[in-house]
Amino acid sequence: DTGVSQNPRHKITKRGQNVTFRCDPISEHNRLYWYRQTLGQGPEFLTYFQNEAQLEKSRLLSDRFSAERPKGSFSTLEIQRTEQGDSAMYLCASSLGHASTQYFGPGTRLTVL
Amino acid sequence: KNEVEQSPQNLTAQEGEFITINCSYSVGISALHWLQQHPGGGIVSLFMLSSGKKKHGRLIATINIQEKHSSLHITASHPRDSAVYICAVRPTGTASKLTFGTGTRLQVTL
């Protein structure tokens, strides 16, 4: 247990539905990252926050994806109108500062039918 | 071509063997990470390197910045070392986002 938690751990949804995932980072960590990992591949960067500010978004993050970190603590990642290609493991990580080790949560596995 | 390449993709070893996993990258970096991922998804950070060598227990990580190459060594391997090992780099000028390799799947048998 790294201290980063994610919920739910698994989500199965039908194409076209909206889903929301939550990440609770280590409490004193000011940086929070979202990554996506498909089967057999390494994770890919989606977005990151410093406190409540979203500082960078990947080109992978289409308009259907939105992430928030309203009070600089937990974060949510929402996917609207899910597509089968969204099926992946969504990983959250947190760190204390930009040059520090990132601690990963267990991930949320999304399956879009 | 991926910015981070790992070799081998798959590796099977017998318990006790010395294991080496390689990582090459094509961009300037401020740090390189070695991560371990067990079945089910959980990722654990093993090392963060910007130069030289680090050791933790049976694990050793080295980096050669000039050659853009890093290695992860496992001495006296054990079945519990079976996992996917992922190399990730923090490219210079990109704040803190990481670029990952595709991982090396290690299976250590008795």
Side-chain angles (χ1 to χ4, degrees):
Chain A
D1 183 359
T2 62
V4 179
S5 61
Q6 291 187 246
N7 288 288
R9 294 291 306 277
H10 303 273
K11 178 71 177 178
I12 299 174
T13 191
K14 292 183 179 178
R15 191 176 52 187
Q17 298 293 305
N18 299 344
V19 294
T20 299
F21 311 141
R22 177 178 170 128
C23 171
D24 286 89
I26 294 171
S27 59
E28 62 268 28
H29 284 184
N30 57 352
R31 292 218 168 193
L32 186 148
Y33 312 84
W34 285 100
Y35 298 96
R36 181 172 69 186
Q37 186 178 27
T38 54
L39 205 59
Q41 300 297 313
E44 295 172 296
F45 170 79
L46 292 178
T47 188
Y48 88 93
F49 293 83
Q50 178 165 301
N51 301 312
E52 65 275 9
Q54 188 174 19
L55 296 187
E56 188 171 349
K57 294 195 294 186
S58 164
R59 292 188 307 273
L60 294 174
L61 216 65
S62 75
D63 291 345
R64 297 184 296 106
F65 288 71
S66 62
E68 291 183 341
R69 194 182 183 198
K71 295 182 181 178
S73 56
F74 73 92
S75 176
T76 58
L77 178 67
E78 181 183 16
I79 309 175
Q80 296 183 325
R81 305 180 303 282
T82 52
E83 301 172 357
Q84 287 185 323
D86 298 330
S87 296
M89 175 77 85
Y90 290 83
L91 294 161
C92 171
S94 69
S95 71
L96 186 63
H98 76 281
S100 302
T101 297
Q102 294 185 20
Y103 294 83
F104 286 80
T108 294
R109 185 171 295 283
L110 172 66
T111 301
V112 182
L113 302 176
Chain B
K1 190 178 190 301
N2 291 336
E3 290 180 335
V4 182
E5 298 276 355
Q6 287 185 236
S7 64
Q9 286 189 304
N10 295 283
L11 183 55
T12 300
Q14 285 197 315
E15 184 177 12
E17 284 187 13
F18 181 83
I19 288 162
T20 296
I21 299 170
N22 295 299
C23 174
S24 296
Y25 52 92
S26 57
V27 295
I29 66 169
S30 54
L32 181 143
H33 298 249
W34 280 103
L35 309 164
Q36 181 191 57
Q37 186 171 31
H38 281 283
I43 292 178
V44 174
S45 180
L46 300 175
F47 295 103
M48 184 171 64
L49 292 164
S50 55
S51 64
K53 176 179 174 178
K54 286 190 176 180
K55 184 176 189 292
H56 181 69
R58 295 179 295 105
L59 302 178
I60 303 166
T62 64
I63 188 168
N64 185 319
I65 295 292
Q66 287 73 30
E67 294 187 4
K68 291 186 165 61
H69 181 269
S70 176
S71 294
L72 176 68
H73 306 285
I74 305 176
T75 62
S77 59
H78 189 276
R80 66 175 173 265
D81 297 327
S82 298
V84 176
Y85 292 84
I86 302 172
C87 172
V89 301
R90 190 168 73 234
T92 50
T94 60
S96 50
K97 73 176 186 183
L98 298 177
T99 300
F100 296 79
T102 55
T104 294
R105 184 174 299 277
L106 171 65
Q107 180 77 31
V108 181
T109 59
L110 292 169

